[in-house]
Amino acid sequence: MSESYADDLARAEKALLAAEFDRAAQLLEGCEDWPSPHAESGVLANAELLLHTDPAAAIAWLAMVQGSIATDAGRFRFNLLSARAFAVVRNTATATARMLEAEKFADAVSNGAAQLALYRARFRWYRGEATPDDPDFEIAFTNTDPNGRCLAFLQRSWAHAAREDYASQTRDLRASLAVVDESGRAPHVKTRAMIVFALARLAFERADAQGVVHAQAAYDALAWTDAVAVERYQSLRAFGWDAFMRGAAARAQWIFREARDIAPSDAWRAMAHLDRAYVARIEGNEAWALDELFEAHAIAQRIPWAQTANEERTALVTFAELFAQVDSARAQWYAATFSAMGLDGVSPNFVTSRERRMTAEARFVVGTIERTSGNDAAAIEALTEAYELFAGIDHHFKAGLAASALADVTVDPKWTARAVAHIGHYPGSPLARTVAKPAAERTDPLFERLTSMQRQVARGMWEGLDARRLSRRFSRSLFTIEREMAAVHAVFGTTSVNALREAALARGIA
């Protein structure tokens, strides 16, 4: 019987390493009732499982099983797990106390000193005191477990980021992958997924083609599970946008479709449709852009936005931006919904990180919302601050977007030049053609004579929608839509939809 408990524990720990959390939960069910010494190892493994799925539940579990921890090795692991759990829920004082308690039992386990050193460095990062030359990193790198050394490189990469040394952060992220690959050992899938996503996004934002290639290779080699679906989805988004920015629009759309198919929530699924809409619009395919936008809008109706967390909520900002040219009422609804909730809950990084990058992200979001709402002065202020921050740290994608938005709002050629310069770091980018054209030349005098509603109807007309479909799309009466369609024809001097489409194509606005 004791062998079966040992086997179940071994299989559970293997499942934890592979991020197969449902499987681990099945194997550890009832572990608190296992005989000694298996119960101690079982309840600690279950605590680690809960840390990945529900940190608050992990704290409650650890409190419940504390009395069953009988060995010094168990006490060491118990206190480290407690420290991790309290750190996740941002109770830094208790987390630090548990880490200090763990120090008393460090000699009872192999690599105890290395594990503690990593925790000390991590807690300094939480307090904003992280330094890449912290001597605790050298101790952490002595860990004989390659996954432990991998974590040390990952943690030091965050310390580099805190100093805005993103080149060094990239090196450490790549080193964290290599240390496990070179060992031939199975990777800790949850940690590996975090690294792949972090490297993919950072490399894309900084136009680091080699870094993207490295992240893509690691992505392809990883055995992804449902437990790391968010990291997988986010990695795909980074790969998709990098492909698009380098001129591979078809590949980008294929990647975004894959992201949509594996999206871990409705909010992320909507974002995948928005990505496809964004790319289609930049490519000049407004009909495709509208199809994707309204697919996303249909999904958005069933999303409880107040319950979203992390970056899911920023989909509201993209909705507002894309709807601004299509349906101003809906654009305002999305902007107002985001503004009502604010940045609270968007990302824990806004709380734990003191990087200017996070401030830049926040100001970019605010600027986009203000621009959508027509508050040009506030938009210019926020976007200018975002641009200066992104440009200062060589985050070329967001710097280019901020400069392009400022060019549209201010009609100042200096912003066009800056946008082109940043986007130029992505050879072959179709976005370069769009922003290189002065904002004043992107408008059409006839189109500008239309009201906001008439512009939306016009786009639908040259997409091929009839009055009834336009009525359903814009939630307006058939009488209202027919009146607006007549007004569009009057401005363009046409009498049929085909003639209108031809006129719009000739003017370069369809």
Side-chain angles (χ1 to χ4, degrees):
M1 182 66 70
S2 62
E3 288 185 5
S4 67
Y5 293 122
D7 289 345
D8 282 349
L9 179 61
R11 286 193 289 266
E13 290 179 339
K14 185 176 180 180
L16 282 172
L17 191 68
E20 296 173 350
F21 296 149
D22 289 343
R23 171 67 173 156
Q26 292 174 353
L27 290 164
L28 293 170
E29 186 174 0
C31 60
E32 66 274 22
D33 296 323
W34 291 356
S36 181
H38 305 292
E40 179 178 283
S41 298
V43 298
L44 292 173
N46 196 58
E48 183 160 350
L49 167 64
L50 290 171
L51 260 173
H52 293 299
T53 59
D54 187 345
I59 291 172
W61 173 262
L62 286 163
M64 184 180 75
V65 302
Q66 183 172 5
S68 63
I69 308 303
T71 68
D72 284 353
R75 293 184 185 101
F76 177 79
R77 189 177 178 192
F78 172 88
N79 281 292
L80 276 194
L81 288 169
S82 297
R84 283 172 56 189
F86 281 110
V88 170
V89 300
R90 299 173 189 166
N91 184 341
T92 307
T94 303
T96 301
R98 292 300 174 91
M99 183 188 69
L100 293 173
E101 186 66 19
E103 288 184 0
K104 300 176 182 177
F105 309 103
D107 293 339
V109 296
S110 62
N111 296 312
Q115 292 181 57
L116 278 171
L118 180 60
Y119 273 75
R120 286 194 295 267
R122 179 178 293 180
F123 282 25
R124 291 189 190 99
W125 182 76
Y126 287 141
R127 296 195 299 267
E129 302 167 359
T131 60
D133 52 359
D134 188 327
D136 272 325
F137 283 122
E138 293 305 315
I139 301 173
F141 288 136
T142 66
N143 198 324
T144 58
D145 178 2
N147 280 303
R149 296 197 301 280
C150 169
L151 276 171
F153 276 114
L154 175 59
Q155 184 62 53
R156 194 173 70 175
S157 80
W158 295 340
H160 284 303
R163 287 189 170 182
E164 296 178 356
D165 182 356
Y166 296 110
S168 294
Q169 182 187 20
T170 299
R171 284 195 297 272
D172 269 357
L173 288 172
R174 295 177 70 174
S176 67
L177 296 173
V179 71
V180 179
D181 291 342
E182 292 167 0
S183 73
R185 296 274 294 277
H188 188 285
V189 169
K190 181 69 173 177
T191 301
R192 185 86 164 189
M194 291 169 55
I195 296 166
V196 170
F197 161 48
L199 178 58
R201 182 155 73 176
L202 180 63
F204 158 59
E205 287 280 1
R206 302 185 72 246
D208 175 4
Q210 187 178 16
V212 172
V213 169
H214 196 155
Q216 181 73 67
Y219 175 94
D220 292 341
L222 188 60
W224 295 91
T225 70
D226 289 343
V228 287
V230 171
E231 291 84 356
R232 183 182 183 187
Y233 173 89
Q234 291 274 50
S235 299
L236 284 172
R237 286 196 72 212
F239 296 141
W241 276 105
D242 187 76
F244 174 71
M245 289 296 290
R246 296 182 187 280
R251 182 169 182 269
Q253 289 287 20
W254 182 85
I255 294 172
F256 291 143
R257 183 176 64 184
E258 184 181 354
R260 177 200 65 192
D261 293 343
I262 61 99
S265 71
D266 279 340
W268 287 129
R269 191 166 297 107
M271 182 64 93
H273 282 289
L274 293 175
D275 286 335
R276 287 166 65 84
Y278 216 124
V279 165
R281 177 168 290 176
I282 294 171
E283 284 281 283
N285 192 333
E286 187 64 18
W288 187 0
L290 289 173
D291 282 345
E292 294 291 347
L293 177 56
F294 278 93
E295 283 282 347
H297 177 66
I299 295 170
Q301 303 313 296
R302 60 177 183 258
I303 299 172
W305 288 104
Q307 297 175 26
T308 55
N310 300 327
E311 294 174 69
E312 286 180 312
R313 192 175 297 174
T314 58
L316 291 164
V317 180
T318 308
F319 268 118
E321 185 176 5
L322 290 175
F323 265 123
Q325 298 181 36
V326 178
D327 187 326
S328 58
R330 284 183 173 133
Q332 290 297 317
W333 183 88
Y334 280 111
T337 300
F338 181 86
S339 297
M341 292 183 289
L343 290 168
D344 291 343
V346 168
S347 172
N349 286 332
F350 284 126
V351 177
T352 58
S353 176
R354 292 156 179 81
E355 298 174 57
R356 288 187 303 164
R357 176 172 55 179
M358 299 306 167
T359 302
E361 293 280 1
R363 297 303 288 159
F364 182 79
V365 167
V366 170
T368 302
I369 290 295
E370 295 293 357
R371 179 187 173 202
T372 301
S373 302
N375 301 324
D376 287 355
I380 291 169
E381 179 183 358
L383 288 169
T384 300
E385 185 178 352
Y387 169 79
E388 291 172 349
L389 291 168
F390 282 128
I393 56 177
D394 293 333
H395 276 48
H396 298 295
F397 177 65
K398 282 290 179 62
L401 291 185
S404 179
L406 284 162
D408 282 341
V409 177
T410 65
V411 199
D412 186 336
K414 79 176 183 182
W415 289 117
T416 300
R418 291 177 183 178
V420 170
H422 287 288
I423 293 167
H425 287 272
Y426 303 88
S429 174
L431 188 57
R433 298 191 299 270
T434 302
V435 301
K437 193 174 183 180
E441 296 178 18
R442 298 180 211 160
T443 60
D444 179 87
L446 289 186
F447 196 67
E448 290 300 302
R449 287 170 54 188
L450 301 176
T451 66
S452 175
M453 184 64 204
Q454 288 164 1
R455 292 176 195 173
Q456 298 159 28
V457 169
R459 289 192 177 93
M461 291 170 71
W462 58 61
E463 181 188 343
L465 301 182
D466 60 19
R468 291 189 181 280
R469 291 175 67 189
L470 288 169
S471 175
R472 289 195 296 271
R473 171 173 285 186
F474 298 118
S475 301
R476 302 291 194 277
S477 71
L478 189 60
F479 172 81
T480 298
I481 292 297
E482 289 175 340
R483 182 186 64 198
E484 300 292 22
M485 291 174 74
V488 171
H489 281 305
V491 168
F492 280 85
T494 57
T495 57
S496 71
V497 171
N498 284 339
L500 175 66
R501 185 185 297 114
E502 290 176 4
L505 287 169
R507 304 180 75 89
I509 56 176

